Amino acid sequence: MPTDANGTYTLPPSYFVQNGDPIQPVQHNPPLEDLQQAQTDRVMRDGRAPMTGDLNMDGHRVVGLADGVAPGDAATVQQMQQAVPAGAVMAFARNTAPTGWLACRGQAVNRTTYAALFAAIGTTFGAGDGSTTFGLPQMRGEFIRGWNETGSGIDASRAFGSTQTDENKQHTHTASTSSAGSHDHTGSALSAGAHTHTASTGSAGTHDHSGTASSAGAHSHKIATGGSTSGSFDYGENLDNSQGTTSGGRPYQADVSNAGAHIHSLSINDAGAHTHSVTVNSGGAHTHSLSINDAGAHTHTVTVQNEGSEARPDNVALLYCIKT
């Protein structure tokens, strides 16, 4: 067929005749067959014939399309934009924004370049420089909460696009320990082995001890007098000749005058500054009993400590983007 891959049609080389030339089948039939094939392969303008292959636009646009209706219809750009309108926010499982989307990190973007987005959200999330740019939502590390546009009920009176800081509802935690009932605690002391204990008394300093002798009452003492004596005698008895004589034949007893009732002083010499040693004998290897009194049935106070820096559910980090 004289139509090449680029769609260029050429006539068969035998098509040309001059006046007076007889027309041969080889000149007549091929061009007609070629025209028939060319007509069969054409795209009919009324759309009656379906395509038998892919429509290669070679980089050219299909223009003038109507909006698609059926599932297999081609959609216009306007339909696509309306399907995901400017200002839509979506989480993506990728770390960069796809074409037609911008990452929501609170940055300012151009009002003219992103005119459709600016028309949709305006300066709700920031006025930018006030003339040529506007702000995008800041979604890094944030959760989305449904806006209560009715102004009543949960999270009422919130401004659209406003942010909230983290907060926990005021609450208390209760805790208790079960009573163990009235009970005792037992304990024991380990044996210290055979040992001794040392002790000392403090010095009393230099001092004296005083004392007295009781009075013997009025009395006299007998003594022997003159020369040597023979026989026996006992001091304190009245001696006579039957008990012995003196060498001169004279009596040998004498009376000592009565000194009357009196006492004798007693002095105890100073021992000087000193201490007295005290020795405590070893009690041998032993233990000491330990008794712990019953405190009665009771409970113990439990304190619950605060942990963590924020309240959060289980989550996964994805990239929030906004449709331009």
Side-chain angles (χ1 to χ4, degrees):
M1 185 175 67
T3 302
D4 61 19
N6 295 321
T8 302
Y9 178 79
T10 57
L11 290 173
S14 60
Y15 79 94
F16 184 75
V17 295
Q18 294 181 354
N19 289 333
D21 290 340
I23 298 177
Q24 301 294 324
V26 69
Q27 294 175 311
H28 180 271
N29 295 335
L32 293 177
E33 293 170 355
D34 185 64
L35 289 174
Q36 180 186 15
Q37 185 63 45
Q39 289 295 318
T40 300
D41 291 341
R42 80 187 189 279
V43 177
M44 300 185 70
R45 294 182 63 187
D46 59 8
R48 286 177 295 170
M51 298 291 296
T52 59
D54 295 336
L55 183 61
N56 184 1
M57 299 303 296
D58 195 24
H60 298 284
R61 294 181 299 165
V62 176
V63 297
L65 287 176
D67 291 341
V69 177
D73 291 352
T76 65
V77 172
Q78 181 178 4
Q79 281 185 301
M80 294 297 295
Q81 290 175 339
Q82 291 174 346
V84 184
V89 173
M90 186 178 294
F92 288 88
R94 50 184 291 169
N95 57 16
T96 58
T99 302
W101 298 75
L102 292 173
C104 295
R105 55 176 183 269
Q107 73 274 35
V109 296
N110 189 272
R111 297 186 181 188
T112 301
T113 304
Y114 301 102
L117 179 57
F118 179 62
I121 69 173
T123 58
T124 301
F125 303 97
D129 63 5
S131 59
T132 63
T133 61
F134 66 103
L136 300 185
Q138 161 29 36
M139 296 299 301
R140 293 173 296 180
E142 301 291 344
F143 294 99
I144 295 177
R145 185 174 191 175
W147 176 50
N148 185 352
E149 76 280 8
T150 63
S152 62
I154 298 174
D155 197 32
S157 303
R158 281 281 302 280
F160 177 76
S162 62
T163 60
Q164 284 181 328
T165 58
D166 58 325
E167 182 179 90
N168 287 324
K169 184 176 181 179
Q170 184 175 353
H171 62 285
T172 58
H173 295 274
T174 59
S176 63
T177 58
S178 299
S179 172
S182 180
H183 63 281
D184 295 327
H185 297 274
T186 60
S188 62
L190 298 178
S191 171
H195 62 283
T196 59
H197 299 274
T198 60
S200 63
T201 59
S203 171
T206 302
H207 62 283
D208 295 326
H209 297 275
S210 60
T212 60
S214 299
S215 171
H219 64 282
S220 62
H221 298 273
K222 302 294 184 176
I223 62 173
T225 61
S228 62
T229 61
S230 63
S232 61
F233 59 88
D234 183 10
Y235 290 102
E237 297 293 336
N238 291 324
L239 302 180
D240 53 31
N241 291 335
S242 65
Q243 292 175 305
T245 60
T246 63
S247 58
R250 294 175 298 178
Y252 55 83
Q253 75 175 24
D255 291 326
V256 178
S257 297
N258 179 15
H262 64 280
I263 60 174
H264 298 273
S265 296
L266 173 66
S267 295
I268 301 174
N269 293 332
D270 174 23
H274 63 280
T275 59
H276 298 272
S277 297
V278 177
T279 301
V280 180
N281 294 329
S282 169
H286 62 283
T287 59
H288 298 273
S289 298
L290 174 67
S291 296
I292 301 176
N293 295 330
D294 174 21
H298 62 281
T299 59
H300 298 273
T301 301
V302 176
T303 301
V304 180
Q305 301 294 337
N306 179 41
E307 293 184 0
S309 59
E310 64 177 358
R312 61 175 180 268
D314 292 340
N315 63 85
V316 60
L318 297 179
L319 179 66
Y320 275 117
C321 298
I322 190 168
K323 185 69 174 66
T324 61

